[in-house]
Amino acid sequence: METIYIQEVVTRDGLQMEDQFVPTEEKIDLINRLSAAGVDKIEATSFVSPKAIPNLRDAEDVMLGIDRKPDITYTALIPNVKGAERAAACKVDEVNLVVSASESHNQKNVRKSVDESFSGFTDITRFLAGTGIRINGSLATSFGCPFEGTIAENRVLGLIDKYLELGADGITLADTTGMATPKQVFQLCGKVLDHWPDLPLTLHFHNTRGMGLANVVEGIRAGVTRFDASLGGLGGCPFAPGATGNICTEDLVHMLIFMGYHVKTDFDQLIATAKHLETILGHDVPGQVIKAGKITDLHPV
Amino acid sequence: METIYIQEVVTRDGLQMEDQFVPTEEKIDLINRLSAAGVDKIEATSFVSPKAIPNLRDAEDVMLGIDRKPDITYTALIPNVKGAERAAACKVDEVNLVVSASESHNQKNVRKSVDESFSGFTDITRFLAGTGIRINGSLATSFGCPFEGTIAENRVLGLIDKYLELGADGITLADTTGMATPKQVFQLCGKVLDHWPDLPLTLHFHNTRGMGLANVVEGIRAGVTRFDASLGGLGGCPFAPGATGNICTEDLVHMLIFMGYHVKTDFDQLIATAKHLETILGHDVPGQVIKAGKITDLHPV
């Protein structure tokens, strides 16, 4: 049985979009529940400016407050050396760098050109050298940019190369606004894994236009085994009010289990955690299996 | 470019589940808009007892009231000879017969054994002989039954054979409660098309657990080119309150177009019709592209 690795991003990508600040102790408890359910990686928080993302202003308290399991990678998004210092002080296992494949999206997102972002990453990798902290390089808008449209495959390959030259240990291709199609995923991931067969490659999909799980299936067919997902399908897209966000962790795990893949995550604990998330937030989440039950939940005649 | 055929079921599978009766003239107008958008087939209504499904009590008025285009197949579900007589009087192009692959689901749905259903179909085919009306045979719960669970592939193959012996012109495998997984779809459809390479085979998916479009992609990979879908994703599942229904026509067409398939349907007219559907119903529909826009709808920086 092929193993697929589940990487949870709800406390970073999900909670940063919520209207209300989730109390620090609730975040810590949520991450502990996810650790107990047995995901492979947790992007716990983001060491950005509290002014930029007030919802994640408790990054240190969250990172230092959680119970860490040795077989789970605890990662955090960092934008600069200051973020790297804060993350390192909390002894994260990994930092996640993000630059957009599209110039206009990177300008809009972090007010830097792509080159300026990579120049900043050089300072970060210099700071982290020798700390043992791994570096993951994420490419936002890899499958399309909401301002520019199509992103050339060669541009994505070139930016992966830049990350690897910097010493990145893994790469994430992110479909930031849900523009990837299954065919495109199969083609682009096939090319990436042709160039770098041993690259730890993650796919980060949003379900904005309903294609999220179809994109996962085609990613697996191309050889990818690592997927980001958000509990309850939390998250969203600033360009599409009402649209769903990240692919939903429990829907993803449900599909993979019933397709016969090995997934470390305990599905029932995951669903219970998603229901707990609804009580924390005080609203329903977009996930579907939480409403429909798993396919083996039979009904009396 | 490979052509994929879009078969619209909203006025049958969608409206039958709505809390309110949609006025006959609205149904006729909706079907006319769908015809104008250019789908390949429309399941306009169901000639069942008005007591069983009050929402479709206007089957004759709808079928006789619509403007029919010569390149679109207008079909209707029928349960028995009486339904066949009513449908024939309205000069439908095709009738759609339905039996469940699972005994318990068929009992629950139509209070007959599977054999009793097929015995009734014999009377229907005898009645329709020489009328020129085509017959489609649908197998509900082909990918799993909410009471019995897994359905053996050989059982599905055997029931297809029974339909073909009766003279059915086409077969639909329906995932009535959204239990199909992408791997299962690829395997089962591959076997069906191995046995009957020229069979006009339709897949009818529900998106109950988020796998709907992934199942379409795997169906196409197995060689299937005909898919049922419901405008706005209308429909639902009596066992999963709040769960989404049929796969959404505009989300399906959007995905197929951007995967490079040829689809006759005009996407913009389809989206306009889905928005119109929301005004008829007075509530939002579960479709996603209606909220997010198509992937080529770019935003100003």
Side-chain angles (χ1 to χ4, degrees):
Chain A
M1 270 211 305
E2 193 182 357
T3 296
I4 304 293
Y5 300 95
I6 306 298
Q7 309 182 162
E8 178 57 60
V9 301
V10 66
T11 51
R12 203 279 298 168
D13 211 358
L15 296 187
Q16 73 175 12
M17 293 282 301
E18 284 294 303
D19 289 338
Q20 292 196 314
F21 177 78
V22 170
T24 308
E25 58 272 28
E26 292 283 16
K27 287 176 182 148
I28 291 170
D29 177 59
L30 184 59
I31 294 171
N32 288 346
R33 287 170 191 249
L34 289 164
S35 292
V39 296
D40 296 286
K41 190 189 274 194
I42 298 178
E43 189 163 298
T45 188
S46 177
F47 288 95
V48 290
S49 149
K51 276 186 200 153
I53 304 184
N55 274 1
L56 303 185
R57 61 180 181 260
D58 53 3
E60 274 84 356
D61 291 339
V62 169
M63 206 69 206
L64 293 171
I66 55 176
D67 299 324
R68 286 163 65 166
K69 287 192 153 191
D71 60 342
I72 297 178
T73 299
Y74 296 88
T75 186
L77 192 150
I78 62 164
N80 49 33
V81 173
K82 167 102 174 124
E85 289 168 357
R86 293 171 60 199
C90 297
K91 298 194 176 2
V92 298
D93 297 315
E94 180 192 276
V95 294
N96 190 19
L97 311 180
V98 182
V99 64
S100 303
S102 120
E103 282 292 349
S104 52
H105 191 270
N106 206 56
Q107 279 291 351
K108 186 92 169 181
N109 204 29
V110 295
R111 291 183 196 148
K112 285 179 185 168
S113 70
V114 170
D115 277 349
E116 285 165 346
S117 278
F118 271 103
S119 159
F121 295 163
T122 310
D123 300 332
I124 292 174
T125 54
R126 199 173 297 135
F127 169 78
L128 290 174
T131 60
I133 295 173
R134 291 196 295 280
I135 297 171
N136 187 74
S138 285
L139 280 174
T141 67
S142 283
F143 297 90
C145 165
F147 311 119
E148 294 179 21
T150 312
I151 302 292
E153 288 183 343
N154 278 342
R155 177 160 176 91
V156 175
L157 295 180
L159 293 172
I160 293 174
D161 209 33
K162 269 172 113 74
Y163 262 135
L164 296 178
E165 277 174 17
L166 269 174
D169 302 285
I171 296 291
T172 297
L173 299 183
D175 183 26
T176 312
T177 60
M179 295 173 68
T181 72
K183 196 163 272 185
Q184 180 190 18
V185 168
F186 184 74
Q187 285 173 353
L188 179 57
C189 295
K191 283 191 186 165
V192 171
L193 292 175
D194 273 354
H195 275 68
W196 299 283
D198 300 322
L199 176 66
L201 177 64
T202 291
L203 295 177
H204 175 108
F205 291 129
H206 282 235
N207 193 36
T208 320
R209 292 167 178 88
M211 296 181 279
L213 293 187
N215 288 336
V216 169
V217 172
E218 291 302 282
I220 292 174
R221 219 159 62 77
V224 181
T225 58
R226 293 167 172 82
F227 295 90
D228 283 354
S230 177
L231 192 72
L234 221 65
C237 172
F239 303 108
T244 52
N246 296 69
I247 58 168
C248 169
T249 312
E250 63 272 22
D251 290 3
L252 171 66
V253 168
H254 175 271
M255 178 180 82
L256 294 173
I257 289 172
F258 289 107
M259 287 179 78
Y261 293 106
H262 177 255
V263 175
K264 190 176 80 176
T265 316
D266 181 276
F267 176 77
D268 292 327
Q269 275 186 268
L270 197 63
I271 276 282
T273 308
K275 286 178 180 165
H276 176 72
L277 176 64
E278 290 187 326
T279 68
I280 295 174
L281 299 174
H283 64 72
D284 283 358
V285 294
Q288 306 228 53
V289 178
I290 199 173
K291 301 181 189 83
K294 55 188 174 186
I295 59 180
T296 47
D297 290 343
L298 300 186
H299 298 261
V301 179
Chain B
M1 270 212 302
E2 192 184 355
T3 297
I4 304 293
Y5 301 95
I6 306 298
Q7 308 183 163
E8 179 57 58
V9 301
V10 66
T11 51
R12 203 278 298 168
D13 211 358
L15 296 187
Q16 73 175 13
M17 293 282 301
E18 283 295 303
D19 288 337
Q20 293 197 314
F21 177 78
V22 170
T24 308
E25 59 272 26
E26 293 284 15
K27 286 175 183 149
I28 291 170
D29 178 58
L30 185 59
I31 293 171
N32 288 345
R33 286 170 192 248
L34 289 164
S35 292
V39 296
D40 296 284
K41 189 189 275 195
I42 299 178
E43 189 163 297
T45 188
S46 178
F47 289 95
V48 288
S49 148
K51 276 185 200 153
I53 304 184
N55 274 1
L56 303 184
R57 61 180 181 259
D58 54 2
E60 275 84 356
D61 291 339
V62 169
M63 207 68 205
L64 293 171
I66 56 176
D67 299 324
R68 286 164 64 167
K69 289 192 152 189
D71 60 343
I72 297 177
T73 299
Y74 296 88
T75 186
L77 192 150
I78 61 164
N80 47 33
V81 174
K82 167 104 173 120
E85 289 168 358
R86 293 169 61 199
C90 297
K91 297 195 177 3
V92 299
D93 297 315
E94 180 192 275
V95 294
N96 189 20
L97 311 180
V98 182
V99 65
S100 303
S102 120
E103 282 291 348
S104 51
H105 191 269
N106 206 56
Q107 280 289 354
K108 185 92 170 180
N109 204 30
V110 294
R111 291 179 196 153
K112 285 179 186 168
S113 71
V114 170
D115 276 349
E116 284 165 348
S117 278
F118 271 102
S119 159
F121 295 164
T122 310
D123 300 333
I124 292 174
T125 54
R126 200 173 296 135
F127 169 78
L128 290 174
T131 61
I133 296 174
R134 290 195 295 280
I135 296 171
N136 187 74
S138 285
L139 280 173
T141 66
S142 283
F143 298 91
C145 165
F147 311 119
E148 294 180 22
T150 311
I151 302 292
E153 288 184 344
N154 279 342
R155 177 159 176 91
V156 175
L157 296 180
L159 294 172
I160 293 174
D161 209 33
K162 268 172 114 69
Y163 261 136
L164 296 178
E165 277 173 19
L166 269 175
D169 302 286
I171 296 291
T172 296
L173 299 183
D175 182 27
T176 311
T177 59
M179 294 173 69
T181 72
K183 194 163 274 185
Q184 180 190 18
V185 169
F186 183 74
Q187 284 172 353
L188 178 57
C189 295
K191 283 189 187 167
V192 171
L193 292 174
D194 272 355
H195 275 68
W196 300 281
D198 300 323
L199 175 68
L201 177 65
T202 291
L203 294 176
H204 174 108
F205 291 129
H206 282 234
N207 193 37
T208 320
R209 291 165 179 89
M211 297 182 279
L213 293 187
N215 287 337
V216 169
V217 172
E218 291 303 283
I220 292 174
R221 219 158 62 76
V224 181
T225 58
R226 294 166 171 81
F227 294 90
D228 282 354
S230 176
L231 193 71
L234 220 64
C237 172
F239 303 109
T244 51
N246 296 69
I247 59 168
C248 169
T249 312
E250 63 272 22
D251 290 4
L252 171 68
V253 168
H254 175 269
M255 179 181 81
L256 294 174
I257 289 172
F258 288 107
M259 286 179 80
Y261 293 106
H262 177 256
V263 175
K264 191 174 83 176
T265 317
D266 182 277
F267 175 78
D268 292 328
Q269 274 185 268
L270 197 63
I271 276 282
T273 308
K275 287 179 179 165
H276 176 72
L277 177 64
E278 290 188 323
T279 68
I280 295 174
L281 299 175
H283 63 73
D284 284 357
V285 294
Q288 306 229 51
V289 178
I290 200 173
K291 301 179 189 83
K294 55 188 174 188
I295 59 180
T296 47
D297 290 343
L298 300 185
H299 298 261
V301 179

